[in-house]
PDB file of all heavy atoms in Angstrom:
ATOM      1  N   VAL A   1      -0.869  -0.214  13.274  1.00 97.00           N
ATOM      2  CA  VAL A   1      -2.204  -0.727  13.765  1.00 97.00           C
ATOM      3  C   VAL A   1      -2.876   0.119  14.734  1.00 97.00           C
ATOM      4  O   VAL A   1      -2.219   0.535  15.766  1.00 97.00           O
ATOM      5  CB  VAL A   1      -2.046  -2.212  14.271  1.00 97.00           C
ATOM      6  CG1 VAL A   1      -3.410  -2.820  14.752  1.00 97.00           C
ATOM      7  CG2 VAL A   1      -1.341  -3.082  13.433  1.00 97.00           C
ATOM      8  N   ILE A   2      -4.076   0.563  14.492  1.00 98.00           N
ATOM      9  CA  ILE A   2      -4.865   1.453  15.372  1.00 98.00           C
ATOM     10  C   ILE A   2      -6.099   0.751  15.773  1.00 98.00           C
ATOM     11  O   ILE A   2      -7.018   0.440  14.895  1.00 98.00           O
ATOM     12  CB  ILE A   2      -5.061   2.844  14.633  1.00 98.00           C
ATOM     13  CG1 ILE A   2      -3.838   3.488  14.151  1.00 98.00           C
ATOM     14  CG2 ILE A   2      -5.925   3.691  15.471  1.00 98.00           C
ATOM     15  CD1 ILE A   2      -3.938   4.754  13.321  1.00 98.00           C
ATOM     16  N   LEU A   3      -6.326   0.695  17.038  1.00 97.00           N
ATOM     17  CA  LEU A   3      -7.516   0.083  17.638  1.00 97.00           C
ATOM     18  C   LEU A   3      -8.474   1.246  17.914  1.00 97.00           C
ATOM     19  O   LEU A   3      -7.999   2.258  18.483  1.00 97.00           O
ATOM     20  CB  LEU A   3      -7.249  -0.693  18.886  1.00 97.00           C
ATOM     21  CG  LEU A   3      -6.865  -2.157  18.642  1.00 97.00           C
ATOM     22  CD1 LEU A   3      -6.280  -2.791  19.972  1.00 97.00           C
ATOM     23  CD2 LEU A   3      -8.049  -3.000  18.226  1.00 97.00           C
ATOM     24  N   THR A   4      -9.753   1.050  17.690  1.00 97.00           N
ATOM     25  CA  THR A   4     -10.648   2.185  17.885  1.00 97.00           C
ATOM     26  C   THR A   4     -10.957   2.514  19.316  1.00 97.00           C
ATOM     27  O   THR A   4     -11.344   3.570  19.630  1.00 97.00           O
ATOM     28  CB  THR A   4     -12.016   1.838  17.173  1.00 97.00           C
ATOM     29  OG1 THR A   4     -12.565   0.655  17.688  1.00 97.00           O
ATOM     30  CG2 THR A   4     -11.865   1.691  15.714  1.00 97.00           C
ATOM     31  N   GLY A   5     -10.888   1.449  20.111  1.00 95.00           N
ATOM     32  CA  GLY A   5     -11.417   1.604  21.499  1.00 95.00           C
ATOM     33  C   GLY A   5     -12.956   1.254  21.517  1.00 95.00           C
ATOM     34  O   GLY A   5     -13.596   1.103  20.458  1.00 95.00           O
ATOM     35  N   GLY A   6     -13.529   1.185  22.709  1.00 95.00           N
ATOM     36  CA  GLY A   6     -14.927   0.884  22.744  1.00 95.00           C
ATOM     37  C   GLY A   6     -15.111  -0.240  23.797  1.00 95.00           C
ATOM     38  O   GLY A   6     -14.284  -0.680  24.503  1.00 95.00           O
ATOM     39  N   ASN A   7     -16.373  -0.662  23.836  1.00 95.00           N
ATOM     40  CA  ASN A   7     -16.724  -1.742  24.851  1.00 95.00           C
ATOM     41  C   ASN A   7     -16.333  -3.085  24.204  1.00 95.00           C
ATOM     42  O   ASN A   7     -16.773  -3.423  23.032  1.00 95.00           O
ATOM     43  CB  ASN A   7     -18.271  -1.744  24.980  1.00 95.00           C
ATOM     44  CG  ASN A   7     -18.783  -0.496  25.705  1.00 95.00           C
ATOM     45  OD1 ASN A   7     -17.999   0.183  26.511  1.00 95.00           O
ATOM     46  ND2 ASN A   7     -20.012  -0.180  25.409  1.00 95.00           N
ATOM     47  N   LEU A   8     -15.652  -3.943  24.907  1.00 94.00           N
ATOM     48  CA  LEU A   8     -15.082  -5.152  24.471  1.00 94.00           C
ATOM     49  C   LEU A   8     -16.042  -6.325  24.605  1.00 94.00           C
ATOM     50  O   LEU A   8     -16.676  -6.540  25.624  1.00 94.00           O
ATOM     51  CB  LEU A   8     -13.842  -5.425  25.253  1.00 94.00           C
ATOM     52  CG  LEU A   8     -13.198  -6.861  24.882  1.00 94.00           C
ATOM     53  CD1 LEU A   8     -12.650  -6.934  23.559  1.00 94.00           C
ATOM     54  CD2 LEU A   8     -12.034  -7.224  25.937  1.00 94.00           C
ATOM     55  N   GLY A   9     -16.288  -6.878  23.408  1.00 89.00           N
ATOM     56  CA  GLY A   9     -17.102  -8.126  23.349  1.00 89.00           C
ATOM     57  C   GLY A   9     -16.080  -9.336  23.617  1.00 89.00           C
ATOM     58  O   GLY A   9     -15.318  -9.681  22.767  1.00 89.00           O
ATOM     59  N   ARG A  10     -16.223  -9.936  24.769  1.00 84.00           N
ATOM     60  CA  ARG A  10     -15.224 -11.022  25.101  1.00 84.00           C
ATOM     61  C   ARG A  10     -15.382 -12.251  24.266  1.00 84.00           C
ATOM     62  O   ARG A  10     -14.368 -13.054  23.968  1.00 84.00           O
ATOM     63  CB  ARG A  10     -15.395 -11.489  26.554  1.00 84.00           C
ATOM     64  CG  ARG A  10     -14.864 -10.401  27.521  1.00 84.00           C
ATOM     65  CD  ARG A  10     -15.062 -10.869  28.969  1.00 84.00           C
ATOM     66  NE  ARG A  10     -14.455  -9.881  29.871  1.00 84.00           N
ATOM     67  CZ  ARG A  10     -15.067  -8.828  30.412  1.00 84.00           C
ATOM     68  NH1 ARG A  10     -16.240  -8.436  29.873  1.00 84.00           N
ATOM     69  NH2 ARG A  10     -14.386  -8.065  31.162  1.00 84.00           N
ATOM     70  N   SER A  11     -16.483 -12.517  23.682  1.00 81.00           N
ATOM     71  CA  SER A  11     -16.635 -13.711  22.794  1.00 81.00           C
ATOM     72  C   SER A  11     -15.999 -13.612  21.521  1.00 81.00           C
ATOM     73  O   SER A  11     -15.551 -14.731  20.963  1.00 81.00           O
ATOM     74  CB  SER A  11     -18.117 -13.969  22.668  1.00 81.00           C
ATOM     75  OG  SER A  11     -18.768 -13.039  21.962  1.00 81.00           O
ATOM     76  N   ASP A  12     -15.882 -12.401  20.932  1.00 86.00           N
ATOM     77  CA  ASP A  12     -15.348 -12.216  19.557  1.00 86.00           C
ATOM     78  C   ASP A  12     -14.276 -11.231  19.390  1.00 86.00           C
ATOM     79  O   ASP A  12     -13.792 -11.006  18.353  1.00 86.00           O
ATOM     80  CB  ASP A  12     -16.492 -11.848  18.661  1.00 86.00           C
ATOM     81  CG  ASP A  12     -17.159 -10.570  18.940  1.00 86.00           C
ATOM     82  OD1 ASP A  12     -16.704  -9.864  19.847  1.00 86.00           O
ATOM     83  OD2 ASP A  12     -18.189 -10.195  18.270  1.00 86.00           O
ATOM     84  N   GLY A  13     -13.900 -10.633  20.600  1.00 90.00           N
ATOM     85  CA  GLY A  13     -12.835  -9.651  20.457  1.00 90.00           C
ATOM     86  C   GLY A  13     -13.124  -8.295  19.787  1.00 90.00           C
ATOM     87  O   GLY A  13     -12.346  -7.544  19.420  1.00 90.00           O
ATOM     88  N   GLY A  14     -14.465  -8.096  19.620  1.00 94.00           N
ATOM     89  CA  GLY A  14     -14.959  -6.941  18.937  1.00 94.00           C
ATOM     90  C   GLY A  14     -15.147  -5.735  19.894  1.00 94.00           C
ATOM     91  O   GLY A  14     -15.460  -5.870  21.155  1.00 94.00           O
ATOM     92  N   LEU A  15     -14.865  -4.578  19.399  1.00 96.00           N
ATOM     93  CA  LEU A  15     -15.136  -3.227  20.151  1.00 96.00           C
ATOM     94  C   LEU A  15     -16.291  -2.578  19.597  1.00 96.00           C
ATOM     95  O   LEU A  15     -16.277  -2.311  18.374  1.00 96.00           O
ATOM     96  CB  LEU A  15     -13.760  -2.421  20.106  1.00 96.00           C
ATOM     97  CG  LEU A  15     -12.538  -3.067  20.666  1.00 96.00           C
ATOM     98  CD1 LEU A  15     -11.318  -2.382  20.301  1.00 96.00           C
ATOM     99  CD2 LEU A  15     -12.640  -3.078  22.221  1.00 96.00           C
ATOM    100  N   LEU A  16     -17.208  -2.175  20.425  1.00 95.00           N
ATOM    101  CA  LEU A  16     -18.450  -1.561  19.918  1.00 95.00           C
ATOM    102  C   LEU A  16     -18.836  -0.408  20.872  1.00 95.00           C
ATOM    103  O   LEU A  16     -18.303  -0.149  21.918  1.00 95.00           O
ATOM    104  CB  LEU A  16     -19.605  -2.594  19.941  1.00 95.00           C
ATOM    105  CG  LEU A  16     -19.427  -3.628  18.929  1.00 95.00           C
ATOM    106  CD1 LEU A  16     -20.502  -4.733  19.149  1.00 95.00           C
ATOM    107  CD2 LEU A  16     -19.428  -3.241  17.443  1.00 95.00           C
ATOM    108  N   GLY A  17     -19.797   0.351  20.453  1.00 93.00           N
ATOM    109  CA  GLY A  17     -20.352   1.398  21.253  1.00 93.00           C
ATOM    110  C   GLY A  17     -19.994   2.824  20.851  1.00 93.00           C
ATOM    111  O   GLY A  17     -19.408   2.982  19.814  1.00 93.00           O
ATOM    112  N   PRO A  18     -20.441   3.801  21.587  1.00 93.00           N
ATOM    113  CA  PRO A  18     -20.149   5.185  21.200  1.00 93.00           C
ATOM    114  C   PRO A  18     -18.807   5.558  20.931  1.00 93.00           C
ATOM    115  O   PRO A  18     -18.440   6.351  19.949  1.00 93.00           O
ATOM    116  CB  PRO A  18     -20.733   6.037  22.305  1.00 93.00           C
ATOM    117  CG  PRO A  18     -21.775   5.070  22.984  1.00 93.00           C
ATOM    118  CD  PRO A  18     -21.237   3.703  22.779  1.00 93.00           C
ATOM    119  N   LEU A  19     -17.799   5.129  21.762  1.00 96.00           N
ATOM    120  CA  LEU A  19     -16.383   5.364  21.583  1.00 96.00           C
ATOM    121  C   LEU A  19     -15.794   4.834  20.259  1.00 96.00           C
ATOM    122  O   LEU A  19     -15.129   5.482  19.602  1.00 96.00           O
ATOM    123  CB  LEU A  19     -15.591   4.771  22.731  1.00 96.00           C
ATOM    124  CG  LEU A  19     -15.606   5.448  24.020  1.00 96.00           C
ATOM    125  CD1 LEU A  19     -14.807   4.588  25.056  1.00 96.00           C
ATOM    126  CD2 LEU A  19     -15.036   6.842  23.990  1.00 96.00           C
ATOM    127  N   THR A  20     -16.377   3.648  19.881  1.00 96.00           N
ATOM    128  CA  THR A  20     -15.999   3.075  18.588  1.00 96.00           C
ATOM    129  C   THR A  20     -16.548   3.922  17.499  1.00 96.00           C
ATOM    130  O   THR A  20     -15.734   4.176  16.483  1.00 96.00           O
ATOM    131  CB  THR A  20     -16.530   1.569  18.522  1.00 96.00           C
ATOM    132  OG1 THR A  20     -16.208   0.918  19.657  1.00 96.00           O
ATOM    133  CG2 THR A  20     -16.042   0.901  17.255  1.00 96.00           C
ATOM    134  N   MET A  21     -17.716   4.349  17.484  1.00 96.00           N
ATOM    135  CA  MET A  21     -18.412   5.096  16.471  1.00 96.00           C
ATOM    136  C   MET A  21     -17.602   6.451  16.294  1.00 96.00           C
ATOM    137  O   MET A  21     -17.292   6.918  15.244  1.00 96.00           O
ATOM    138  CB  MET A  21     -19.787   5.423  16.754  1.00 96.00           C
ATOM    139  CG  MET A  21     -20.631   4.122  16.759  1.00 96.00           C
ATOM    140  SD  MET A  21     -20.896   3.356  15.194  1.00 96.00           S
ATOM    141  CE  MET A  21     -22.098   4.503  14.439  1.00 96.00           C
ATOM    142  N   ASP A  22     -17.253   7.038  17.408  1.00 96.00           N
ATOM    143  CA  ASP A  22     -16.495   8.392  17.374  1.00 96.00           C
ATOM    144  C   ASP A  22     -15.192   8.150  16.724  1.00 96.00           C
ATOM    145  O   ASP A  22     -14.780   8.947  15.940  1.00 96.00           O
ATOM    146  CB  ASP A  22     -16.361   8.919  18.785  1.00 96.00           C
ATOM    147  CG  ASP A  22     -17.631   9.501  19.373  1.00 96.00           C
ATOM    148  OD1 ASP A  22     -18.600   9.677  18.617  1.00 96.00           O
ATOM    149  OD2 ASP A  22     -17.645   9.725  20.608  1.00 96.00           O
ATOM    150  N   ALA A  23     -14.480   7.045  17.076  1.00 97.00           N
ATOM    151  CA  ALA A  23     -13.147   6.787  16.503  1.00 97.00           C
ATOM    152  C   ALA A  23     -13.189   6.558  15.036  1.00 97.00           C
ATOM    153  O   ALA A  23     -12.388   7.076  14.271  1.00 97.00           O
ATOM    154  CB  ALA A  23     -12.547   5.606  17.209  1.00 97.00           C
ATOM    155  N   VAL A  24     -14.208   5.816  14.606  1.00 97.00           N
ATOM    156  CA  VAL A  24     -14.360   5.525  13.152  1.00 97.00           C
ATOM    157  C   VAL A  24     -14.537   6.758  12.332  1.00 97.00           C
ATOM    158  O   VAL A  24     -13.877   6.946  11.241  1.00 97.00           O
ATOM    159  CB  VAL A  24     -15.531   4.623  12.813  1.00 97.00           C
ATOM    160  CG1 VAL A  24     -15.849   4.486  11.402  1.00 97.00           C
ATOM    161  CG2 VAL A  24     -15.257   3.192  13.425  1.00 97.00           C
ATOM    162  N   ARG A  25     -15.217   7.690  12.825  1.00 96.00           N
ATOM    163  CA  ARG A  25     -15.504   9.040  12.078  1.00 96.00           C
ATOM    164  C   ARG A  25     -14.375   9.910  12.081  1.00 96.00           C
ATOM    165  O   ARG A  25     -14.421  10.919  11.278  1.00 96.00           O
ATOM    166  CB  ARG A  25     -16.771   9.671  12.757  1.00 96.00           C
ATOM    167  CG  ARG A  25     -18.018   8.913  12.651  1.00 96.00           C
ATOM    168  CD  ARG A  25     -19.302   9.666  13.084  1.00 96.00           C
ATOM    169  NE  ARG A  25     -20.466   8.904  13.045  1.00 96.00           N
ATOM    170  CZ  ARG A  25     -21.121   8.362  14.141  1.00 96.00           C
ATOM    171  NH1 ARG A  25     -20.658   8.709  15.352  1.00 96.00           N
ATOM    172  NH2 ARG A  25     -22.220   7.741  13.960  1.00 96.00           N
ATOM    173  N   ARG A  26     -13.270   9.635  12.756  1.00 97.00           N
ATOM    174  CA  ARG A  26     -12.067  10.379  12.683  1.00 97.00           C
ATOM    175  C   ARG A  26     -11.302  10.078  11.502  1.00 97.00           C
ATOM    176  O   ARG A  26     -10.314  10.782  11.132  1.00 97.00           O
ATOM    177  CB  ARG A  26     -11.191  10.266  14.032  1.00 97.00           C
ATOM    178  CG  ARG A  26     -11.835  10.785  15.174  1.00 97.00           C
ATOM    179  CD  ARG A  26     -11.062  10.408  16.409  1.00 97.00           C
ATOM    180  NE  ARG A  26     -11.602  11.090  17.696  1.00 97.00           N
ATOM    181  CZ  ARG A  26     -11.320  12.189  18.141  1.00 97.00           C
ATOM    182  NH1 ARG A  26     -10.433  12.934  17.597  1.00 97.00           N
ATOM    183  NH2 ARG A  26     -11.845  12.663  19.297  1.00 97.00           N
ATOM    184  N   PHE A  27     -11.520   8.957  10.820  1.00 98.00           N
ATOM    185  CA  PHE A  27     -10.792   8.503   9.732  1.00 98.00           C
ATOM    186  C   PHE A  27     -11.396   8.657   8.433  1.00 98.00           C
ATOM    187  O   PHE A  27     -12.670   8.634   8.299  1.00 98.00           O
ATOM    188  CB  PHE A  27     -10.370   6.957   9.927  1.00 98.00           C
ATOM    189  CG  PHE A  27      -9.371   6.876  11.166  1.00 98.00           C
ATOM    190  CD1 PHE A  27      -9.958   6.560  12.411  1.00 98.00           C
ATOM    191  CD2 PHE A  27      -8.015   6.932  11.003  1.00 98.00           C
ATOM    192  CE1 PHE A  27      -9.110   6.395  13.473  1.00 98.00           C
ATOM    193  CE2 PHE A  27      -7.193   6.716  12.029  1.00 98.00           C
ATOM    194  CZ  PHE A  27      -7.792   6.589  13.324  1.00 98.00           C
ATOM    195  N   LYS A  28     -10.612   8.728   7.368  1.00 98.00           N
ATOM    196  CA  LYS A  28     -11.120   8.550   6.011  1.00 98.00           C
ATOM    197  C   LYS A  28     -10.078   7.598   5.284  1.00 98.00           C
ATOM    198  O   LYS A  28      -8.987   8.071   4.892  1.00 98.00           O
ATOM    199  CB  LYS A  28     -11.192   9.884   5.235  1.00 98.00           C
ATOM    200  CG  LYS A  28     -11.865   9.857   3.824  1.00 98.00           C
ATOM    201  CD  LYS A  28     -13.283   9.665   3.930  1.00 98.00           C
ATOM    202  CE  LYS A  28     -13.957   9.699   2.672  1.00 98.00           C
ATOM    203  NZ  LYS A  28     -15.472   9.588   2.659  1.00 98.00           N
ATOM    204  N   VAL A  29     -10.443   6.329   5.257  1.00 98.00           N
ATOM    205  CA  VAL A  29      -9.488   5.386   4.814  1.00 98.00           C
ATOM    206  C   VAL A  29      -9.604   4.989   3.337  1.00 98.00           C
ATOM    207  O   VAL A  29     -10.681   5.368   2.748  1.00 98.00           O
ATOM    208  CB  VAL A  29      -9.561   4.084   5.661  1.00 98.00           C
ATOM    209  CG1 VAL A  29      -9.228   4.252   7.071  1.00 98.00           C
ATOM    210  CG2 VAL A  29     -11.004   3.451   5.413  1.00 98.00           C
ATOM    211  N   ASP A  30      -8.544   4.472   2.764  1.00 98.00           N
ATOM    212  CA  ASP A  30      -8.607   4.122   1.289  1.00 98.00           C
ATOM    213  C   ASP A  30      -9.536   2.911   1.088  1.00 98.00           C
ATOM    214  O   ASP A  30     -10.291   2.957   0.052  1.00 98.00           O
ATOM    215  CB  ASP A  30      -7.249   3.732   0.846  1.00 98.00           C
ATOM    216  CG  ASP A  30      -6.204   4.956   0.942  1.00 98.00           C
ATOM    217  OD1 ASP A  30      -6.616   6.034   0.497  1.00 98.00           O
ATOM    218  OD2 ASP A  30      -5.139   4.779   1.460  1.00 98.00           O
ATOM    219  N   TYR A  31      -9.422   1.924   1.931  1.00 98.00           N
ATOM    220  CA  TYR A  31     -10.270   0.702   1.763  1.00 98.00           C
ATOM    221  C   TYR A  31     -10.867   0.310   3.072  1.00 98.00           C
ATOM    222  O   TYR A  31     -10.253   0.456   4.098  1.00 98.00           O
ATOM    223  CB  TYR A  31      -9.380  -0.429   1.234  1.00 98.00           C
ATOM    224  CG  TYR A  31      -8.672  -0.211  -0.045  1.00 98.00           C
ATOM    225  CD1 TYR A  31      -7.393   0.436  -0.124  1.00 98.00           C
ATOM    226  CD2 TYR A  31      -9.337  -0.516  -1.241  1.00 98.00           C
ATOM    227  CE1 TYR A  31      -6.754   0.677  -1.272  1.00 98.00           C
ATOM    228  CE2 TYR A  31      -8.717  -0.254  -2.452  1.00 98.00           C
ATOM    229  CZ  TYR A  31      -7.491   0.348  -2.484  1.00 98.00           C
ATOM    230  OH  TYR A  31      -6.753   0.594  -3.728  1.00 98.00           O
ATOM    231  N   ALA A  32     -12.119  -0.177   2.993  1.00 98.00           N
ATOM    232  CA  ALA A  32     -12.804  -0.922   4.125  1.00 98.00           C
ATOM    233  C   ALA A  32     -13.085  -2.301   3.628  1.00 98.00           C
ATOM    234  O   ALA A  32     -13.546  -2.453   2.503  1.00 98.00           O
ATOM    235  CB  ALA A  32     -14.049  -0.107   4.500  1.00 98.00           C
ATOM    236  N   VAL A  33     -12.769  -3.267   4.563  1.00 98.00           N
ATOM    237  CA  VAL A  33     -13.119  -4.650   4.293  1.00 98.00           C
ATOM    238  C   VAL A  33     -14.029  -5.039   5.438  1.00 98.00           C
ATOM    239  O   VAL A  33     -13.606  -5.125   6.545  1.00 98.00           O
ATOM    240  CB  VAL A  33     -11.890  -5.497   4.236  1.00 98.00           C
ATOM    241  CG1 VAL A  33     -12.218  -6.954   3.989  1.00 98.00           C
ATOM    242  CG2 VAL A  33     -10.865  -5.015   3.284  1.00 98.00           C
TER     243      VAL A  33
END
C-alpha cells in the first residue's frame, strides 16, 4: 500500500494538493478505480 501524501481532508480521509498530483504522476498503474 502506497499513500500519495498531500493535504489531509479530515472529513473524508482524502489527500489532495500539489504533493498528491506530483505523486500520482510518478506511477503508471495497470488499473485505476
Side-chain angles (χ1 to χ4, degrees):
V1 182
I2 299 173
L3 275 168
T4 61
N7 298 330
L8 174 64
R10 288 180 172 82
S11 64
D12 61 6
L15 297 164
L16 297 172
L19 286 174
T20 308
M21 298 290 284
D22 288 345
V24 169
R25 295 189 184 107
R26 291 175 180 268
F27 294 91
K28 187 72 175 183
V29 297
D30 297 313
Y31 299 91
V33 182

